[in-house]
Amino acid sequence: MANTDQDILGRADVNDLEAIMAISNTDVDEAIHAVRDNADAIFTWDYEKGARPALNKLYEKAKTAQWNGETDLDWSIEVDPSRVIVGLQGSNSAGPFEALAQMDDSPFKNFGDKEWDELGVESLNWRLSQFMHGEQGALICTAKIVETVPWIDAKYYASTQVMDEARHVEVFAKYIDTKLDGFYPINAHLKLLLDDIIEDSRWDMTYLGMQIMVEGLALAAFGFMYQIVDEPLLKQLLRYVMSDEARHVAFGVLSLKEYYAELTDAELRERQEFAFEAAVRMRDRFLQQEVWDRMGIDKRKVMHMLLQVPPEEMIFQQMLFSKIVPNCKKLGLLDASGGWLRKRFEEIGVIQFEDWVDTGEEYLAFDAVSQDREAAEAAAS
Ligand SMILES: [Fe+2]
Ligand SMILES: [Fe+2]
């Protein structure tokens, strides 16, 4: 029997603010967080390399595209966080929250340049902190995939991704620690999503949750930030991380395409529901409740206002789905089970991306590391 939103999300109304706010991070003072991963570690005795040529190609590419976060980025660059946000917000110091200042009873009503700058810096600290926590989620998920996926080509490839993700956690942590002034604990909704992904016993759910949903969002978010930021260290960091992420999302698309072709409609419906749950958790995350708390702003009021803004006016939030939706389409998830996921993506205002380029092959165009090496070799000869 199909699940209701209450079953999937723990609330009957997607926009139920009290239920969204009731999800909180209770272990901000702990140094570790334990999650049961509920899965068997799978050996395979079929060692035929290249039985899945697309995964083998990805694995070979990953071996030659490794980079070193300590030496391939110029950490001597000095960073002024308040300058970084000027690049991020353009000429408009209020940035994406300007529309809210016009609303009646807005907590931003009396904001001047100083307050908008402070919000810009806090949002930057928050965003990069969440990127870092998400990268650790990816590190743990891909280590799990090495254990649980039954195909040797996928185990090989996933092992390169474990190294990629370690590097990503490392470089974001170093940037936050040495260049910014402020760290945020993991957002409650992101934490809930990562826990759900890791707890699921089915190997393909790790892929769907992490490679398709979380990494699809990350690839779009990094791309968006890369285009608008002009701080050179962060720009290069994002460029290199994206070059890896494009492979990661491709890994998800290529693996699940094969597997989902054989699932029943009822099994696909479970995947659709999981994808929808992940999409809602990620939308909830971008209400950035921790920032409002830290700034002493009434978070109930701001989050309520944010939920009132029509989706088409939330350009940044919408763009975050520009990789996820075409990839779900390619996997057959939009239209299985009577188009259930298509309807849900219509409701949250992101279906317009369905025919954008999917990420099955896009990684070749993203390969910044090889491009730089070729340019350096050409310059040397
Ligand atoms: Fe990553
Ligand atoms: Fe990744």
Side-chain angles (χ1 to χ4, degrees), residues 292-304:
W292 314 124
D293 277 340
R294 187 166 292 181
M295 292 186 69
I297 292 173
D298 182 344
K299 76 175 165 199
R300 177 176 275 100
K301 217 178 230 176
V302 178
M303 290 164 70
H304 176 73

Side-chain angles (χ1 to χ4, degrees), residues 41-239:
I42 304 291
F43 280 84
T44 173
W45 309 127
D46 179 356
Y47 291 101
E48 190 197 342
K49 185 175 185 299
R52 291 180 169 75
L55 294 184
N56 188 48
K57 183 176 163 199
L58 207 54
Y59 175 50
E60 292 301 323
K61 179 82 233 171
K63 284 196 255 181
T64 62
Q66 295 291 315
W67 49 282
N68 183 336
E70 289 289 355
T71 55
D72 286 325
L73 297 175
D74 182 1
W75 292 101
S76 72
I77 293 171
E78 294 204 20
V79 176
D80 173 356
S82 62
R83 292 283 315 150
V84 178
I85 59 153
V86 173
L88 280 176
Q89 297 175 343
S91 56
N92 175 7
S93 68
F97 299 107
E98 193 198 21
L100 303 187
Q102 318 302 328
M103 293 181 173
D104 289 342
D105 203 23
S106 169
F108 304 123
K109 210 129 228 166
N110 298 317
F111 263 39
D113 287 347
K114 180 173 158 286
E115 289 81 11
W116 287 120
D117 281 355
E118 190 190 340
L119 174 56
V121 168
E122 289 303 326
S123 297
L124 177 69
N125 292 340
W126 179 87
R127 243 189 246 178
L128 291 186
S129 296
Q130 302 315 321
F131 286 164
M132 175 181 68
H133 298 307
E135 294 292 356
Q136 187 182 175
L139 173 65
I140 288 171
C141 283
T142 44
K144 187 180 178 190
I145 289 175
V146 172
E147 290 192 350
T148 57
V149 69
W151 310 327
I152 197 73
D153 287 318
K155 286 184 188 293
Y156 288 160
Y157 175 75
S159 74
T160 68
Q161 188 177 334
V162 173
M163 182 61 217
D164 292 349
E165 304 299 3
R167 182 169 57 242
H168 298 174
V169 181
E170 176 199 345
V171 295
F172 278 114
K174 183 167 178 167
Y175 191 87
I176 292 165
D177 186 39
T178 64
K179 305 297 176 185
L180 298 183
D181 184 21
F183 157 90
Y184 276 84
I186 188 167
N187 168 267
H189 304 281
L190 176 61
K191 177 164 170 276
L192 181 64
L193 174 59
L194 294 177
D195 287 1
D196 276 354
I197 295 170
I198 294 160
E199 280 168 3
D200 202 296
S201 63
R202 298 160 289 189
W203 67 263
D204 71 289
M205 291 299 205
T206 325
Y207 269 96
L208 177 60
M210 179 49 63
Q211 316 291 126
I212 302 299
M213 303 301 295
V214 177
E215 300 202 283
L217 179 135
L219 186 56
F222 295 160
F224 199 70
M225 202 182 235
Y226 169 76
Q227 280 175 15
I228 52 183
V229 79
D230 45 28
E231 193 283 283
L233 173 57
L234 183 57
K235 202 168 176 84
Q236 185 67 342
L237 184 158
L238 290 169
R239 182 167 168 260

